Amino acid sequence: MNTGRRSVWLLTAMILGYAFLYGPILSLIVYSFNESRLVTVWGGFSTKWYGELLQNQKLLDAAFLSLKIAALTATGAVVLGTLAALVLVRFGRFRGRTLFSGMVTAPLVMPEVITGLALLLLFVALEQLVGWPSGRSMTTIVLAHVTFTMAFVTVVVQSRLAQMDRSIEEAAMDLGARPFKVFMVITLPMIAPSLIAAWLLAFTLSLDDLVIASFVSGPGSTTLPMVVFSSVRLGVTPEINALATIIVALVAVGILVAARIQHRQDKQREKDMQRAYASE
């Protein structure tokens, strides 16, 4: 009896938790098809706001800029974060390791306001000393986001490298392979899933950032979160609901495609193992 009551309570808690998390997203999607301009009053079904979105050049430009910044940020963060993870995992104890590890992971715990202000002061000082970067632009946003997201990439890749069996790499080097070739042929494919996960995480963090971008951006480099935030202060417009619905749909499609690919890979792996056992 107690087990049954516990199961009902857990099921209820789970339903309420998911409703709390996904209810606002569902309401946003529903009201993106609202005829009325008031997002809290249902005026009938309509798709006109998606057409209005295509005419809102300011919102489209901000979305395109955010996607471009996020892609550049994720790529740069994966490269630098992977190098930092290799140093922390493969180089053992070295002088300055504690300081290096603290500097790499500091953005994980540092408030974004402090990070944004520090980077702004850095860019201003660099502009006065060497003339670069000139003003606040997409370049400064990318540099700031790489600094912020590299810490997350380092943690993800470092955990994968620490769990990896190094005997395969050692066997390849015993057979005459150079370290760079071992890394490209053996290490990189083995840590590829963590690199993809780290890239997606960095992409999401950059696309979602508002605080740091507000400090290091300038005229002509307004990101989507900044546009949405400035619009929300005056009231949410249906065009923002439509854009958010499109983004949710793209993310959902990406998740389904990734799950499908993973399912096929798991089935192929099971078949390969069965063939290996049968051949023995």
Side-chain angles (χ1 to χ4, degrees):
M1 187 68 178
N2 291 334
T3 304
R5 289 181 178 178
R6 191 183 307 122
S7 300
V8 173
W9 185 86
L10 290 175
L11 180 62
T12 304
M14 183 184 69
I15 293 174
L16 291 176
Y18 278 113
F20 177 78
L21 292 174
Y22 293 102
I25 298 176
L26 181 61
S27 65
L28 180 147
I29 295 173
V30 170
Y31 277 101
S32 70
F33 298 99
N34 187 12
E35 174 71 25
S36 173
R37 176 168 286 276
L38 299 176
V39 295
T40 57
V41 178
W42 181 257
F45 182 86
S46 175
T47 59
K48 71 175 184 179
W49 300 116
Y50 289 88
E52 294 287 337
L53 173 63
L54 297 178
Q55 304 298 324
N56 193 332
Q57 196 61 40
K58 179 181 177 181
L59 202 59
L60 293 178
D61 290 342
F64 179 73
L65 178 64
S66 292
L67 291 174
K68 187 161 59 172
I69 290 173
L72 293 173
T73 296
T75 304
V78 165
V79 173
L80 296 178
T82 302
L83 293 176
L86 284 170
V87 169
L88 293 173
V89 174
R90 298 296 174 83
F91 283 74
R93 305 297 301 180
F94 57 88
R95 182 175 298 179
R97 174 189 169 88
T98 303
L99 177 61
F100 177 75
S101 177
M103 292 176 64
V104 169
T105 57
L108 290 172
V109 296
M110 189 176 297
E112 292 187 13
V113 173
I114 303 300
T115 303
L117 179 59
L119 289 169
L120 174 61
L121 296 176
L122 173 64
F123 293 146
V124 171
L126 286 175
E127 184 178 6
Q128 292 175 351
L129 290 174
V130 298
W132 184 89
S134 180
R136 312 286 82 79
S137 61
M138 186 185 79
T139 302
T140 55
I141 300 177
V142 171
L143 291 175
H145 282 184
V146 168
T147 304
F148 169 62
T149 59
M150 188 183 73
F152 295 88
V153 174
T154 302
V155 171
V156 173
V157 179
Q158 183 180 358
S159 63
R160 179 66 184 98
L161 285 171
Q163 298 173 359
M164 201 176 76
D165 185 7
R166 297 191 61 183
S167 61
I168 302 176
E169 297 175 312
E170 294 171 354
M173 287 188 285
D174 290 339
L175 293 174
R178 295 182 178 275
F180 180 75
K181 182 161 187 166
V182 171
F183 175 78
M184 296 300 296
V185 176
I186 296 176
T187 308
L188 198 58
M190 292 182 70
I191 66 173
S194 65
L195 295 180
I196 296 174
W199 193 93
L200 292 174
L201 178 60
F203 183 91
T204 304
L205 291 171
S206 175
L207 187 66
D208 186 58
D209 176 68
L210 170 65
V211 178
I212 295 178
S214 299
F215 277 96
V216 299
S217 64
S221 58
T222 304
T223 61
L224 181 61
M226 296 170 63
V227 173
V228 172
F229 180 74
S230 62
S231 301
V232 166
R233 289 184 296 180
L234 301 176
V236 180
T237 61
E239 292 93 336
I240 294 178
N241 286 348
L243 179 62
T245 301
I246 293 174
I247 293 176
V248 170
L250 292 176
V251 171
V253 171
I255 292 174
L256 292 176
V257 171
R260 181 64 176 172
I261 294 174
Q262 184 64 37
H263 179 67
R264 288 185 177 180
Q265 289 179 346
D266 291 341
K267 291 184 67 175
Q268 185 63 38
R269 191 178 298 111
E270 290 178 1
K271 291 181 180 179
D272 293 339
M273 292 179 65
Q274 291 176 357
R275 291 173 184 172
Y277 290 142
S279 62
E280 292 180 357

